[in-house]
Amino acid sequence: MPILEVAIPCPLRRRFDYLPPAGAEPHQLQPGQRLLVPFGNRRVVGLLLAVKDDSSVDTARLKPALALLDEQPTLDAELLALGQWAARYYQHPIGDCLQQMLPARLRREKPPREEPPALWRLTEAGAATAPEALKRAPQQARLLALLQRQPLVGRAELRDLGVAPGIARALCDKGLATPAGDIWQANGADASAATGHAPTLNAEQQQAVTAVADSLGRFAPFLLEGVTGSGKTEVYLRLIEQCLARGQQALVLVPEIGLTPQTLQRFQRRFSEPVTALHSGLSEGERLRGWQRARDGEARIVIGTRSAIFTPFKALGLIIVDEEHDLSYKQQDGFRYSARDLAVKRAADNHCPVLLGSATPALESLHNAERGRYQLLRLQHRAGGAKPPSVSLLDTRERALQDGLSEQVLTHIDDTLAAGNQALVFLNRRGFSPVLQCHGCGWLADCRHCDARLTVHVGRRQLRCHHCDAVEPLPSLCPQCHNPQLEYRGPGTERLEMALQRRFPQYPVRRIDRDTTSTKHAMQTLVEDVREGRPCVLVGTQMLAKGHHFPDVTTVVILDIDGGLFSADYRGAERCGQLLVQVAGRAGRADKPGRVLVQTHCPEHPVLRSLVDHGYPAFARALLAERQLMQLPPFGHAALVRADASRLDSAEQFLAALKAALGPPTPVCQAIGPLPAPMTRKAGRYRAVLLLQTERRAALHAALQRLCDAGESRRATGGLRWSVDVDPVDMY
Ligand code: ADP
Ligand code: ZN
Ligand code: ZN
């Protein structure tokens, strides 16, 4: 009787053996199929890893699987191997890795019945009807207005708009809209959508396209380092075109907040092929369909966020990772993979080129380029004659700030608006104020569950913790001394919005942050409004920093970026530089010159100076030299072992025991800690970390292996949880 080796979604790093389910013929069993198996007192969906002849367990004690759930493997050989590779690399339980690679529907025993995909478009009558004419049916009016702005509306948009599918049917009954059928076919069938005009490439773009295109059909990793507005997207579009012409499929990864309807439409307009989006906003059914169509070779272009790296393809010919430095590519819990790094691995497995693009590449990627592992392609000029913005540092020491803004900045904004242009004010902190303090006794509004302050949200009259989501009503008296004089210390975007609106009452002030864009639709409306080009002030967090193309923004103001310069994390300077350059890159992207003002208390800081005087490429290379000197990643390799518990000493003792399992320290592998995590208490749990640093990757993996064995054999007490983070991107 064959033995089945199965990956089970559970916290254990081992594989489990089962006997075949009753009635299954040996020839029906193939690795990559899903099996229903008994596990403890549960039934779980596992993945068949291998069919073998014997087991290390006494076969009399093996249980039979309950059922074979697939006729064909759900995970093909490539993805099955990738999952096993990633489980080893990230030291994460194999069952959980493989399960996370699957669309949610396939993780369950019985996929629920699929809802028919639905999509609507406008009729001629609908185009000719003003939404106001539907006064008595406000929901229909809203949907009609949306249909007049975009060619197709699907279920996800209806949800965002807060209307039921019945409303769409009502519009159809009135002859104003009509069902457009299946989401994927609709995009493809509408070949007239491919009307996007392609500009003539400039010499730098042409060079980049040629270099990558020459490598189609074999593995070749590239880093495209192109200043903001240099036309990287145009390079992607040309390469996708060539990839499709070879009969292959293309995968484009974008950061979580980069997959906007604007981005999708930009791709959709260029190709007559269907563009398939895979992101968290889809229903499970939509996601599964996209996944299946990619696997069957019908979806030719797939654009997705992090987890789209696990999409199966019939003939993958090109992978593009846009804004490759973006932190959203690294999963921050559970299976802590980096989609960017897995993209390079998948390109190698599929013998195809991979293009990592950014104006501010991660130091890891630059290092790989310097070592010759990636071929470096550069776009040093903005496309289409746009000029780089001029950047100046404004010294705010000993200057009066009004709600965080200096008079100089306000004057610049005033001039910008008077000239008919738009200004963007960036502050990476939402809410009204990050600190509430009593003027009488000095009381501070702290979170009860975290080592953190509560943020004031004036509009909702709330205090909110941005780390654990705790919410309290905004007090009107100090809870300690009952003094009514409570002070708001420091600005957040909500405060800036109010202050700017007071100062410029005749212009709209638009805030873009997580609080104002809780639905995709709200974000789209805001963005479209700005793109109409009337003078206005935009206020926002890093949601504004990425990818947006606002041709009428000529002034960008950056507030309070100093924090990153003094961060405990050695990556603080890199992050600060990337953010500054990305935000600054929103200025002057079209024919109007741009100006960037950075308010700072430390205008002489070498990091800021080098960035402003020499630009990101020189700045990043200086940081690399520093990392080399200190033997920090990307020189050498690191992993972070985290533990949290209801008491700090439990977490620390657990990590100390893991460290002891490593044996005496050696020059090739150092373990630092256990240390309390920078924010030790979060959501009521105490957190500690152990940092491993090695010169060679193999030493890191050998150490982690020993450490995980020790971790699994210890009984975790007091609700202790622990996890391993290979190539961590932060210390928390
Ligand atoms: P990036 O992604 O590098 O920030 P984009 O691809 O968004 O830059 O390009 C910025 C702007 O320049 C876009 O409006 C784009 O249409 C335009 N553009 C790109 N390439 C060219 C070109 N070769 N000639 C003229 N305009 C171009
Ligand atoms: Zn008080
Ligand atoms: Zn909290």
Side-chain angles (χ1 to χ4, degrees), residues 438-443 478-483 486:
C438 169
H439 192 59
C441 72
W443 169 85
C478 169
Q480 201 163 274
C481 74
H482 308 292
N483 189 322
L486 295 177

Side-chain angles (χ1 to χ4, degrees), residues 199-202 205 227 229-234 266 383-384 549 589:
T200 313
L201 296 183
N202 62 35
Q205 286 173 314
V227 299
S230 57
K232 292 183 288 294
T233 311
E234 195 54 45
R266 191 164 171 195
H549 185 65
R589 288 172 64 91

Side-chain angles (χ1 to χ4, degrees), residues 44-64:
V44 300
V45 175
L47 270 150
L48 180 54
L49 293 170
V51 182
K52 50 189 192 178
D53 298 328
D54 54 11
S55 173
S56 53
V57 182
D58 175 8
T59 46
R61 293 180 46 208
L62 291 181
K63 291 182 187 159

